[in-house]
Amino acid sequence: MIRHILTFPDPVLKKKATPITVITDEIRQLANDMAETMYDAPGVGLAAPQIGVSQRLIVIDVAAKDDAPQLITVINPVIIHGEGELYEEEGCLSVPHFSANVKRHAKVVVKGLSLDGHERVWHADDLLAIAFQHEIDHLDGILFVDRLSPLKRELFLKKAKKWGAP
Ligand code: NI
């Protein structure tokens, strides 16, 4: 089921999400819905808080349009290592009409659980590394606009007012 995506400044987006302790049918359904919602948007990643569920679950697919889908679903993801630096343009389904360059690690190692409950480690670079960092930020109540310089953030807030955010 495609879910409604919350947008800035919805307070759920600012909340720290809680870890998932048991992988229930409800969690599996949530993961399915998140993937469906992400592909429909379309986007390259989605975190549960973006559809109003404050739990630590993310989905990512950075495969090119013409390639086969490569869905990554991670429960309780944690960045255990980051290195290098990237400064690429980012957008967010919860922050419409705005994009900006954000400083990120060029490579990350992420630990978490797959949907079957097994612990897994993902080694990511480039776009996938950015997606992991962006989505895990969502679980901590951080939007990419929170990582901008004060001046750029002010520009964002001005633009946000124009599209109706208070
Ligand atoms: Ni986002």
Side-chain angles (χ1 to χ4, degrees), residues 50 91-93 134-135 138:
Q50 291 182 273
C92 178
L93 296 173
H134 179 116
E135 300 312 327
H138 273 300

Side-chain angles (χ1 to χ4, degrees), residues 5-163:
I5 298 174
L6 303 178
T7 54
F8 174 88
D10 193 291
V12 178
L13 296 170
K14 297 294 293 175
K15 264 176 71 177
K16 199 173 162 74
T18 54
I20 291 169
T21 50
V22 190
I23 303 168
T24 58
D25 284 346
E26 208 172 298
I27 293 295
R28 278 184 281 268
Q29 184 60 51
L30 174 65
N32 274 337
D33 287 355
M34 283 169 57
E36 208 179 325
T37 305
M38 171 183 74
Y39 288 125
D40 175 70
V44 296
L46 195 72
Q50 291 182 273
I51 57 164
V53 180
S54 199
Q55 300 203 50
R56 303 187 82 82
L57 175 60
I58 61 170
V59 293
I60 291 173
D61 190 338
V62 297
K65 247 189 217 158
D66 299 330
D67 292 347
Q70 282 179 24
L71 179 63
I72 296 172
T73 303
V74 192
I75 295 166
N76 303 336
V78 180
I79 294 169
I80 55 172
H81 179 73
E83 65 179 66
E85 212 172 81
L86 277 178
Y87 188 63
E88 296 289 334
E89 188 170 357
E90 285 182 35
C92 178
L93 296 173
S94 295
V95 186
H97 321 299
F98 188 80
S99 61
N101 282 35
V102 183
K103 204 198 281 181
R104 301 283 191 187
H105 288 302
K107 287 182 181 188
V108 290
V109 180
V110 175
K111 196 176 82 175
L113 299 177
S114 54
L115 265 187
D116 58 13
H118 290 118
E119 194 168 279
R120 270 203 59 183
V121 172
W122 288 263
H123 294 260
D125 57 15
D126 297 321
L127 187 53
L128 185 57
I130 292 172
F132 267 119
Q133 291 167 88
H134 179 116
E135 300 312 327
I136 292 170
D137 263 359
H138 273 300
L139 304 182
D140 293 323
I142 298 166
L143 298 174
F144 79 93
V145 291
D146 297 321
R147 295 201 176 275
L148 302 179
S149 67
L151 207 68
K152 280 234 179 107
R153 197 178 143 75
E154 211 166 292
L155 182 77
F156 159 70
L157 290 171
K158 261 186 204 161
K159 281 198 175 174
K161 259 188 194 151
K162 276 190 196 149
W163 48 264

